[in-house]
């Protein structure tokens, strides 16, 4: 084999390895939403619009101050809140709060109230309307019953893609009815380390036990007490 042919083979192998890297999973990085000033917020490369998954807002980790903004009850109203008021509520600078609002807006969680002067921000319509509907559905779960975040999502919109929003609403909205009755699939209370910081599993189980729900040896709520999405949908039907 000539040196020319050897060089061609070496080049071909190099190109093949490069293509494998570019096309392989190791070339992909999980996008995060940076939280300016929060050292414990994750950092990473932002994807282009073409690379962003449809439910990117659901999977992107958020910093504690971003979570604090989303948890403000007034953000779920149509009137929204002024950035200065948001900043005071989360104890942060106005300039950095404005940056956080813009970042949350880019991933479709909040929006600027059209025509507002001075500027006001609120949750997007999907999140505002969704929270109201989730509360209405959750109110149908009676004493001695339980359901899941996925069941409420299915009853509300026909799929489970909003299950994370249900979980968020159950923890953050003060008027969410009986959030302890909304469990994970299989009847398990949300674990202590769960990202939405739901109620402590022991307290949730204790409340349900007091309401007549029994648990098996693995800590799962009795299936016969579960209210599925189809029953929930029937209960909210006019």
């Amino acid at each position: 084999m000539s040196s020319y042919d050897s060089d061609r083979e070496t080049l071909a192998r190099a190109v093949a390895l490069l293509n494998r890297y570019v096309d392989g999973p190791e070339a992909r990085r999980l996008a995060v939403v940076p939280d300016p000033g929060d050292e414990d917020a994750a950092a990473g490369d932002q994807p282009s619009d073409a690379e962003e998954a449809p439910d990117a807002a659901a999977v992107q980790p958020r910093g504690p101050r971003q979570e604090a903004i989303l948890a403000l009850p007034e953000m779920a109203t149509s009137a929204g809140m002024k950035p200065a008021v948001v900043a005071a509520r989360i104890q942060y600078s106005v300039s950095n709060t404005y940056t956080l609002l813009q970042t949350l807006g880019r991933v479709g969680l909040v929006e600027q109230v059209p025509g507002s002067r001075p500027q006001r921000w609120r949750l997007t319509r999907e999140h505002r309307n969704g929270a109201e509907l989730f509360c209405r559905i959750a109110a149908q779960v009676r004493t001695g019953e339980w359901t899941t975040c996925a069941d409420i999502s299915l009853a509300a919109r026909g799929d489970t893609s909003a299950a994370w929003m249900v979980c968020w609403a159950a923890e953050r909205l003060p008027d969410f009815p009986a959030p302890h009755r909304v469990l994970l699939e299989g009847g398990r209370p949300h674990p202590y380390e769960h990202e939405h910081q739901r109620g402590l599993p022991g307290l949730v189980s204790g409340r349900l036990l007091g309401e007549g729900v029994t648990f098996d040896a693995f800590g799962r709520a009795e299936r016969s007490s579960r209210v599925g999405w189809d029953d929930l949908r029937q209960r909210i039907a006019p």
Side-chain angles (χ1 to χ4, degrees), residues 217-230:
F218 300 98
R220 297 173 300 200
E222 180 62 41
R223 189 171 181 81
S224 61
S225 302
R226 177 176 181 173
V227 184
W229 67 269
D230 47 350

Side-chain angles (χ1 to χ4, degrees), residues 14-231:
V15 171
L17 288 172
L18 179 61
N19 285 337
R20 188 183 308 170
Y21 178 83
V22 171
D23 295 335
E26 56 267 38
R28 301 187 180 187
R29 296 176 182 173
L30 181 65
V32 301
V33 180
D35 192 342
D38 282 347
E39 296 179 357
D40 53 345
D45 296 332
Q46 293 294 336
S48 66
D49 292 341
E51 296 170 335
E52 192 169 345
D55 291 324
V59 299
Q60 290 178 335
R62 294 183 288 271
R65 286 194 173 94
Q66 291 172 323
E67 290 287 358
I69 290 174
L70 297 174
L72 294 172
E74 295 91 337
M75 288 292 290
T77 66
S78 58
M81 302 178 69
K82 300 176 183 177
V85 177
V86 174
R89 293 283 293 278
I90 67 172
Q91 299 181 341
Y92 207 34
S93 70
V94 176
S95 59
N96 280 338
T97 298
Y98 182 70
T99 300
L100 293 183
L101 289 167
Q102 288 182 313
T103 303
L104 292 170
R106 283 195 294 270
V107 295
L109 291 172
V110 303
E111 65 183 8
Q112 200 176 139
V113 178
S116 58
R117 294 290 185 276
Q119 191 180 104
R120 303 178 76 93
W121 291 76
R122 65 190 180 190
L123 297 180
T124 58
R125 177 183 296 183
E126 178 185 9
H127 291 77
R128 295 197 314 275
N129 294 349
E132 294 174 3
L133 181 56
F134 298 153
C135 288
R136 189 158 66 91
I137 294 173
Q140 309 306 313
V141 183
R142 302 160 187 151
T143 301
E145 298 177 337
W146 63 274
T147 190
T148 69
C149 301
D151 282 313
I152 294 179
S153 176
L154 279 164
R157 48 187 289 165
D159 58 53
T160 61
S161 61
W164 73 276
M165 292 171 56
V166 176
C167 192
W168 171 85
E171 172 60 24
R172 304 295 185 182
L173 300 183
D175 57 345
F176 193 96
H180 64 283
R181 297 175 188 165
V182 182
L183 307 177
L184 289 173
E185 189 63 35
R188 293 179 296 109
H190 293 72
Y192 177 76
E193 69 275 9
H194 193 271
E195 61 177 326
H196 289 110
Q197 302 174 348
R198 297 289 304 277
L200 295 177
L203 296 178
V204 170
S205 300
R207 292 194 64 180
L208 289 172
L209 283 168
E211 294 179 351
V213 177
T214 58
F215 289 79
D216 63 17
F218 300 98
R220 297 173 300 200
E222 180 62 41
R223 189 171 181 81
S224 61
S225 302
R226 177 176 181 173
V227 184
W229 67 269
D230 47 350
D231 289 330

